[in-house]
């Protein structure tokens, strides 16, 4: 189905989703517009956003700031800084729901161990998570549990749910221990 340009303009959209560490360095980022056409522009934007929000004490709730004609919604969890950027005409509540869905999905995927080391070890799942949330700037899903479920369904074990993945991991561990006991 082809969309006319005007119908796409009414869809909820985002310009980028950034996951930075506590020093402002990239963990996972995804840009959906050409507002930052080259890498140096993207890195400069990330640094500016990080510096602008660094002194804030973002807790469990998302914070909103206007920055360079963009709406930036952000929150911090441990040593990770989550950002979602939209244009000044975008709805802050939609951007906040994208941010919350991303943070919730990461929390589920990383099993409540949301920190830089664990995030880097599971970077493939985090990037899949971004793909499940937004496609080409258009918001697809904002419910963290649904996002995590879809991402984990693509996981290496081929499990179709979080519960099944846990069972698969338990059986794999049991099989390994049994195999070791036979070899001893």
């Amino acid at each position: 189905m082809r969309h006319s340009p005007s119908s796409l303009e009414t869809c909820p959209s985002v310009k980028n989703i950034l996951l930075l560490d506590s020093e402002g360095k990239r963990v996972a980022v995804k840009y959906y517009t050409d507002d930052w056409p080259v890498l140096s522009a993207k890195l400069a934007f990330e640094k500016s956003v990080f510096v602008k929000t660094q002194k804030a004490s973002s807790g469990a709730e998302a914070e909103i700031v206007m920055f360079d004609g963009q709406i930036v919604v952000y929150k911090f969890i441990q040593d990770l800084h989550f950002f979602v950027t939209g244009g000044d005409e975008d709805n802050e509540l939609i951007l906040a729901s994208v941010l919350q869905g991303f943070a919730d999905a990461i929390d589920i995927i990383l099993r409540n161990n949301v920190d830089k080391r664990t995030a880097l070890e599971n970077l493939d799942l985090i990037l899949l998570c971004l793909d499940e949330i937004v496609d080409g700037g258009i918001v697809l899903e904002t419910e963290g549990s649904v996002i995590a479920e879809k991402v984990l369904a693509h996981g290496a074990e081929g499990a179709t749910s979080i519960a099944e993945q846990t069972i698969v991991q338990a059986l794999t561990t049991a099989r390994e221990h049994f195999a070791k006991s036979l070899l001893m």
Side-chain angles (χ1 to χ4, degrees), residues 127-149:
L127 293 172
L128 275 173
C129 193
L130 291 172
D131 292 341
E132 291 294 338
I133 297 168
V134 177
D135 183 24
I138 305 300
V139 177
L140 301 175
E141 182 61 64
T142 60
E143 183 61 43
S145 60
V146 173
I147 297 161
E149 193 74 36

Side-chain angles (χ1 to χ4, degrees), residues 118-129:
T118 310
L120 289 172
E121 289 171 356
N122 294 279
L123 190 57
D124 56 335
L125 297 177
I126 290 174
L127 293 172
L128 275 173
C129 193

Side-chain angles (χ1 to χ4, degrees), residues 86-157:
D88 59 0
E89 72 287 345
D90 288 322
N91 185 322
E92 298 91 356
L93 295 176
I94 291 173
L95 297 175
S97 67
V98 170
L99 176 75
Q100 191 61 50
F102 181 41
D104 289 349
I106 297 301
D107 190 52
I108 293 167
I109 289 167
L110 300 183
R111 301 190 192 292
N112 302 318
N113 190 18
V114 181
D115 62 29
K116 180 182 176 182
R117 185 185 58 76
T118 310
L120 289 172
E121 289 171 356
N122 294 279
L123 190 57
D124 56 335
L125 297 177
I126 290 174
L127 293 172
L128 275 173
C129 193
L130 291 172
D131 292 341
E132 291 294 338
I133 297 168
V134 177
D135 183 24
I138 305 300
V139 177
L140 301 175
E141 182 61 64
T142 60
E143 183 61 43
S145 60
V146 173
I147 297 161
E149 193 74 36
K150 288 179 180 179
V151 167
L152 292 173
H154 294 298
E157 279 91 27

